[in-house]
């Protein structure tokens, strides 16, 4: 697909990003030299901290991933919003205050404070490293997604751009994500998303989403065809020809047929009609054996691949209309519910050595869009599919509190009351934002803007349909958010390597300057790994990737944290075992999952397991490991837990 | 990510109360969440039930977001009251809602 580059958009984008970076550096310097803003009496107001919390938490995954999934699969994307938010209940009610009372706020430190065990140091450091890398993948994929429509550069350019910029920042100065920067980013993200939703509601719905005539929407063709007596495939429009072996081809078996017109091949979805067949135009990509990608039979820049997203029929208050006017939020949802939307199914085939992905039209009643079932099958689902659904909802619920960079915010809160209040502000802000995602996602679904090969772009492209300025601002905010999250993750990961692993565990006793050097080298290595992974996972919905990260984090960390806080018989060996079992089982199951197999270039049905999210197996395994090993090692830790040491 | 030095919270007299309250509220929310998940897995057509112009799925989903906020507010209110009450009972001569000392040992 071709995106027209606008100098204005690029200008606004760079201005915003540089402004955010500048503010972040400036405030970061000030904070470091002023002995911390935590001097007596000058604490940050809980409301500011709360919005900063939200800014910290709402990453590319929320904005791009959830909207993208809602835009293509409806309510199933909203499940992510619900799950992510529900996870705050674990953090607020179970983990935050007790952890804070231990006097520690990183996962590793908290575990270490009670046990001082080398095994825990090692496993917790590895856990931080693995979870950070997993959480980096969706951010890197998201950055490629943002750059593509903005600068017209391929996905990998965006990934490398973020990777290089952040690695340089982290390796040279270290980015302090100060509260005010996060407050600013979080506040602006919510503000502009609200503007976008108001714009969507004002535009209303239309069966021909041409943005007020500015961008004609591709009208997908339907043809008729019959099988002639001599075995040839006769199409009503005779400029289309079918190859001789059409009935034996892999396409026909799956319900498609490949036609050629001139030098271009197109694939059509075949439906039986009264006399012969009806052919519906599809979109397809083909990855040839040598790696070239063809879009609808032509190279990417030929513009033969169209954005999609339209309503087939709109029913408002019982009447069929072609266009509604402005709608309120409830009217919007109920109109969607009564209408029919054209969604797109995907079929992956192997034609010889080429991997072909076909996107075909699937008119879907709005009622089905507004409830779970389109991506995560629930109606008439197989046990494996139900299993997958349960697993996902568990991963989301358990994941929030397992992320090290969430709890760390409680470090600087002056009192339990302020901690609670800022959490509530955060929950309100995040909850409101997630409610907005439903409207942004649905808006994108029906505005003819979706790139069906990469639904991550849906929200920015929706903004684009309202004008370049909104698009540039929102892309810039999302990009700055990605920069912040990526830098934090690289710092955490390189810290785990340099400080926890090399210095403490391996006892290398590095001098300060060597430690810093080790940190920088690890930052570069982690950065390179992250870039590579970000390129490989192009096109995968970022929320889905975060679902994986959450599953790994929850399997590795949550049983350890909860048992440490609530079960007296927990031992160091038990915790170490639980972390290892959690990571290995979660990671292993992910690598064997159907969606990973598609990434490997194979078919989903080749995968040995049938579900994508490992949480429902890996979390219980981790708990069992902890309990069993703790009970087995009870004898060794017979001394009573020491009185808590304050500070440090 | 540098967030500054850690703050210290003084002795927390309401710790046990808050711990139990937290577990209770967590249990309430988890029940609602699990019910949501189970309905979708075991009886998905129930989610189609019309309520006003919307379906149960949308309302339940939005409700889970709103209820999270409400429970958070309840937790805060009850916890703050407990802190005031239990601190006053334990340290009757100290001011209620005592802030931790500003001048800390420089152990950090």
């Amino acid at each position: 697909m071709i995106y027209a580059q606008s100098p204005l958009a690029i200008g606004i984008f760079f201005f915003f990003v540089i402004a955010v970076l500048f503010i972040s550096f400036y405030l970061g310097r000030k904070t470091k030299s002023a002995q911390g803003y935590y001097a007596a009496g000058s604490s940050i107001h809980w409301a500011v901290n709360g919005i900063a919390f939200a800014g910290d938490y709402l990453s590319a995954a929320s904005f791009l991933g959830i909207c993208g999934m809602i835009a293509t699969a409806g309510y199933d994307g909203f499940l992510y919003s619900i799950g992510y938010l529900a996870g705050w209940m674990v953090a607020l009610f179970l983990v935050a205050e007790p952890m804070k009372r231990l006097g520690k706020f990183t996962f590793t430190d908290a575990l270490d404070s009670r046990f001082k065990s080398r095994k825990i140091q090692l496993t917790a450091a590895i856990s931080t490293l693995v979870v950070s890398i997993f959480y980096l993948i969706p951010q890197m994929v998201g950055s490629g997604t943002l750059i593509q429509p903005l600068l017209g550069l391929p996905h990998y350019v965006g990934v490398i751009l973020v990777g290089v910029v952040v690695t340089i920042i982290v390796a040279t100065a270290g980015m302090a994500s100060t509260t005010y920067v996060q407050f600013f980013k979080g506040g602006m993200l919510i503000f502009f998303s609200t503007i976008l939703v108001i714009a969507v509601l004002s535009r209303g719905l239309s069966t021909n989403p041409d943005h007020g005539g500015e961008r004609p929407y591709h009208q997908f063709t339907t043809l008729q065809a019959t099988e002639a007596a001599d075995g040839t495939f006769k199409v009503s429009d005779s400029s289309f020809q079918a190859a001789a072996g059409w009935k034996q081809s892999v396409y026909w078996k799956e319900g498609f047929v490949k036609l050629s017109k001139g030098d271009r091949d197109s694939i059509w979805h075949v439906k039986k009609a009264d006399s012969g067949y009806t052919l519906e135009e599809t979109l397809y990509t083909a990855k040839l054996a040598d790696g070239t990608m063809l879009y609808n039979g032509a190279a990417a820049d030929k513009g033969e691949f169209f954005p999609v997203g339209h309503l087939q029929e709109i029913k408002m208050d019982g009447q069929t209309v072609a266009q509604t006017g402005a709608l309120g939020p409830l009217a919007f949802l109920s109109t969607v519910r009564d209408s029919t939307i054209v969604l797109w199914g995907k079929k992956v085939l192997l034609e010889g050595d080429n991997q072909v992905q076909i996107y075909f039209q699937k008119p879907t009643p709005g009622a089905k869009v507004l409830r779970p079932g389109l991506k995560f099958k629930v109606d008439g689902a197989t046990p494996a599919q139900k299993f997958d659904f349960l697993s996902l909802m568990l991963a989301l619920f358990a994941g929030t509190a397992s992320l090290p960079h969430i709890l760390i915010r409680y470090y600087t809160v002056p009192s339990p009351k302020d901690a609670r209040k800022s959490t509530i502000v955060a929950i309100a802000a995040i909850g409101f934002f997630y409610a907005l995602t439903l409207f942004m996602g649905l808006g994108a679904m029906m505005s003819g803007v979706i790139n069906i090969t990469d639904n991550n772009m849906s929200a920015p492209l929706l903004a684009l349909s309202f004008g370049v300025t909104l698009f540039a601002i929102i892309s810039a905010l999302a990009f700055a958010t990605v920069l912040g999250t990526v830098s934090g993750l690289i710092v955490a990961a390189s810290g785990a390597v340099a400080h926890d692993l090399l210095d403490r565990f391996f006892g290398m006793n590095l001098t300060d300057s060597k430690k810093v050097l080790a940190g920088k080298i690890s930052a570069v290595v982690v950065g390179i790994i992250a870039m590579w992974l970000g390129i490989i996972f192009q096109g995968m919905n970022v929320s889905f990737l975060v679902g994986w990260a959450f599953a790994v984090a929850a399997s590795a960390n949550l049983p350890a944290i909860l048992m440490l806080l609530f079960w007296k018989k927990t031992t160091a060996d038990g915790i170490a075992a639980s972390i290892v079992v959690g990571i290995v089982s979660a990671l292993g199951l992910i690598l064997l999952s159907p969606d990973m197999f598609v990434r490997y270039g194979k078919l989903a049905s080749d995968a040995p397991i049938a579900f994508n999210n490992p949480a429902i197996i890996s979390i219980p395994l981790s708990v069992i490991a902890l309990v069993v090993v703790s009970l087995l090692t009870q004898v060794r830790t017979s001394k009573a837990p020491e009185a808590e040491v304050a500070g440090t | 990510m540098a967030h500054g030095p850690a703050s210290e919270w003084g002795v927390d007299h309401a710790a046990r109360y808050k711990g139990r309250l937290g577990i209770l509220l967590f249990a309430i929310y988890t029940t609602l969440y699990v019910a949501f998940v189970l309905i979708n897995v075991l009886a998905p057509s129930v989610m189609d039930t019309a309520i006003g112009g919307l379906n149960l799925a949308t309302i339940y989903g939005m409700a889970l977001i709103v209820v999270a906020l409400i429970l958070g507010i309840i937790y805060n209110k009850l916890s703050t009251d407990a802190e005031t009450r239990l601190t006053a009972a334990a340290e009757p001569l100290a001011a209620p809602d005592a802030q931790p000392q500003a001048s800390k040992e420089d152990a950090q």
Side-chain angles (χ1 to χ4, degrees):
Chain A
M1 292 211 274
I2 307 182
Y3 300 100
Q5 269 56 62
S6 145
L8 176 64
I10 298 176
I12 295 178
F13 176 80
F14 277 110
F15 170 74
F16 248 82
V17 171
I18 290 173
V20 170
L21 285 180
F22 179 74
I23 294 176
S24 160
F25 260 120
Y26 177 69
L27 284 180
R29 290 254 151 103
K30 252 181 101 177
T31 315
K32 274 187 198 158
S33 58
Q35 278 288 321
Y37 42 74
Y38 201 60
S42 63
S43 46
I44 296 183
H45 191 266
W46 48 266
V48 171
N49 210 34
I51 303 276
F53 233 139
D56 235 340
Y57 182 73
L58 291 173
S59 69
S62 298
F63 181 59
L64 302 177
I66 293 177
C67 293
M69 198 179 282
I70 295 178
T72 49
Y75 195 91
D76 286 358
F78 192 53
L79 286 175
Y80 279 87
S81 296
I82 296 172
Y84 287 153
L85 185 74
W88 282 90
M89 300 283 93
V90 179
L92 175 63
F93 292 143
L94 294 185
V95 177
E97 277 183 53
M99 274 277 274
K100 175 64 180 167
R101 269 194 292 276
L102 276 184
K104 300 296 168 186
F105 247 93
T106 63
F107 172 60
T108 320
D109 285 347
L111 291 179
D112 215 33
S113 74
R114 174 122 162 231
F115 292 110
K116 305 233 177 318
S117 146
R118 282 171 57 85
K119 284 186 192 148
I120 293 185
Q121 280 169 7
L122 174 67
T123 52
I126 293 180
S127 167
T128 304
L129 189 58
V130 171
V131 171
S132 300
I133 291 183
F134 251 93
Y135 205 54
L136 270 170
I137 300 177
Q139 314 305 324
M140 301 306 274
V141 172
S143 59
T145 305
L146 288 168
I147 291 294
Q148 228 176 321
L150 192 73
L151 301 179
L153 299 170
H155 183 266
Y156 66 85
V157 173
V159 173
I160 293 179
L161 185 65
V162 167
V164 168
V165 167
V166 173
T167 309
I168 291 177
I169 291 176
V170 171
T172 55
M175 192 174 192
S177 54
T178 61
T179 309
Y180 287 107
V181 175
Q182 295 293 30
F183 168 76
F184 175 71
K185 278 192 303 188
M188 301 235 74
L189 191 62
I190 295 176
F191 176 72
F192 282 105
S193 301
T194 312
I195 303 260
L196 187 55
V197 170
I198 293 175
V200 166
L201 294 176
S202 311
R203 181 192 272 170
L205 302 165
S206 155
T207 49
N208 184 19
D210 59 2
H211 310 149
E214 281 184 49
R215 262 213 325 198
Y217 184 68
H218 178 83
Q219 305 300 327
F220 291 93
T221 333
T222 311
L223 301 172
Q224 309 298 321
T226 51
E227 181 178 358
D230 60 357
T232 55
F233 197 72
K234 283 181 73 71
V235 186
S236 53
D237 179 345
S238 51
S239 56
F240 288 96
Q241 307 286 331
W246 59 272
K247 217 169 189 184
Q248 288 76 38
S249 76
V250 61
Y251 293 106
W252 189 256
K253 291 197 189 67
E254 302 285 355
F256 298 93
V257 68
K258 193 176 200 177
L259 303 177
S260 34
K261 180 174 181 173
D263 60 353
R264 261 233 307 136
D265 290 337
S266 48
I267 298 183
W268 299 75
H269 194 198
V270 179
K271 298 217 162 109
K272 269 202 145 336
D274 298 323
S275 56
Y277 307 101
T278 310
L279 306 178
E280 273 179 2
E281 187 181 349
T282 68
L283 297 169
Y284 77 98
T285 65
K287 189 169 181 185
L288 306 181
D290 60 6
T292 334
M293 285 291 288
L294 291 179
Y295 294 88
N296 268 0
D301 52 8
K302 293 282 187 290
E304 297 285 353
F305 200 86
F306 305 102
V308 300
H310 68 280
L311 288 144
Q312 195 179 61
E313 186 199 37
I314 305 178
K315 267 216 166 74
M316 197 165 78
D317 298 328
Q319 292 206 311
T320 309
V321 298
Q323 195 165 319
T324 69
L327 295 167
L330 292 176
F332 183 84
L333 291 175
S334 51
T335 308
V336 167
R337 189 160 162 256
D338 295 333
S339 307
T340 313
I341 303 145
V342 176
L343 297 180
W344 293 77
K346 181 165 116 168
K347 192 99 202 139
V348 182
L349 318 162
L350 288 172
E351 183 190 13
D353 281 331
N354 307 337
Q355 193 196 46
V356 179
Q357 302 196 4
I358 308 173
Y359 302 93
F360 56 94
Q361 297 177 54
K362 270 187 6 184
T364 312
K368 286 253 172 299
V369 167
L370 285 179
R371 77 158 174 88
L374 290 178
K375 182 166 168 74
F376 299 102
K377 215 160 175 295
V378 285
D379 286 306
T382 64
Q385 286 164 326
K386 296 194 180 187
F387 199 70
D388 201 12
F389 181 79
L390 288 172
S391 197
L392 172 70
M393 296 311 284
L394 177 63
L396 300 178
F397 189 61
T400 302
S402 315
L403 296 173
H405 70 287
I406 293 301
L407 299 178
I408 207 171
R409 251 200 189 276
Y410 282 108
Y411 231 117
T412 51
V413 176
S415 71
K417 191 169 68 176
D418 280 354
R420 288 191 298 270
K421 282 184 178 172
S422 28
T423 309
I424 290 170
V425 170
I427 292 178
I430 295 171
F432 175 66
F433 180 79
Y434 282 152
L436 291 179
T437 58
L438 181 61
F439 291 95
M440 287 194 282
L442 290 176
M445 182 190 261
M446 291 171 262
S447 300
V449 295
I450 298 175
N451 172 356
I452 198 71
T453 62
D454 186 356
N455 62 46
N456 289 321
M457 298 187 200
S458 307
L461 291 177
L462 174 67
L464 181 60
S465 77
F466 289 105
V468 158
T469 314
L470 189 61
F471 166 64
I473 293 176
I474 286 191
S475 298
L477 282 172
F479 196 74
T481 306
V482 169
L483 286 180
T485 309
V486 170
S487 68
L489 289 169
I490 291 189
V491 166
S494 59
V497 171
H499 176 64
D500 294 334
L501 281 179
L502 294 181
D503 194 40
R504 262 156 138 215
F505 182 73
F506 286 118
M508 284 170 76
N509 280 335
L510 304 167
T511 61
D512 268 350
S513 59
K514 283 240 175 79
K515 237 192 268 190
V516 168
L517 180 64
K520 289 183 183 180
I521 296 179
S522 345
V524 170
V525 172
V526 171
I528 293 177
I529 295 177
M531 285 190 267
W532 174 63
L533 291 170
I535 293 174
I536 299 183
F537 283 97
Q538 174 185 0
M540 207 170 221
N541 180 283
V542 290
S543 256
F544 188 82
L545 290 166
V546 168
W548 273 347
F550 269 34
V552 176
S555 312
N557 299 347
L558 194 64
I561 297 176
L562 286 180
M563 292 302 198
L564 172 69
L565 294 174
F566 291 107
W567 194 44
K568 299 286 171 268
K569 291 197 178 157
T570 310
T571 67
D573 288 348
I575 289 189
S578 120
I579 295 176
V580 169
V581 167
I583 294 182
V584 168
S585 55
L587 199 50
L589 288 172
I590 288 174
L591 291 174
L592 294 175
S593 66
D595 277 344
M596 267 311 268
F597 264 66
V598 171
R599 283 289 131 177
Y600 299 148
K602 300 188 167 44
L603 298 175
S605 41
D606 291 338
I609 58 175
F611 54 96
N612 284 310
N613 199 300
I616 205 171
I617 293 199
S618 49
I619 295 179
L621 273 182
S622 176
V623 172
I624 292 173
L626 189 148
V627 170
V628 166
V629 175
S630 288
L631 291 176
L632 288 177
T633 53
Q634 278 299 294
V635 182
R636 296 195 211 144
T637 45
S638 50
K639 49 180 185 189
E642 301 129 16
E644 288 155 29
V645 179
T648 356
Chain B
M1 278 185 292
H3 288 270
S7 57
E8 266 191 47
W9 293 353
V11 176
D12 191 347
H13 297 283
R16 269 194 63 204
Y17 174 86
K18 287 188 289 186
R20 301 221 304 261
L21 177 63
I23 295 180
L24 171 67
L25 293 174
F26 176 73
I28 294 175
Y29 191 83
T30 307
T31 310
L32 293 172
Y33 186 80
V34 169
F36 175 79
V37 173
L38 287 181
I39 294 177
N40 277 309
V41 170
L42 300 174
S45 49
V46 171
M47 281 297 174
D48 276 331
T49 318
I51 303 181
L54 306 172
N55 59 8
L56 180 63
T58 314
I59 304 231
Y60 204 146
M62 290 287 184
L64 280 174
I65 294 182
V66 171
V67 167
L69 182 59
I70 293 176
L71 288 181
I73 293 175
I74 293 177
Y75 178 70
N76 181 48
K77 179 84 175 59
L78 293 180
S79 295
T80 310
D81 288 348
E83 279 166 358
T84 319
R85 193 176 69 232
L86 292 172
T87 307
E91 303 166 11
L93 297 177
D97 220 27
Q99 295 291 3
Q101 302 295 32
S103 52
K104 308 180 214 337
E105 260 75 34
D106 272 72
Q108 281 133 335

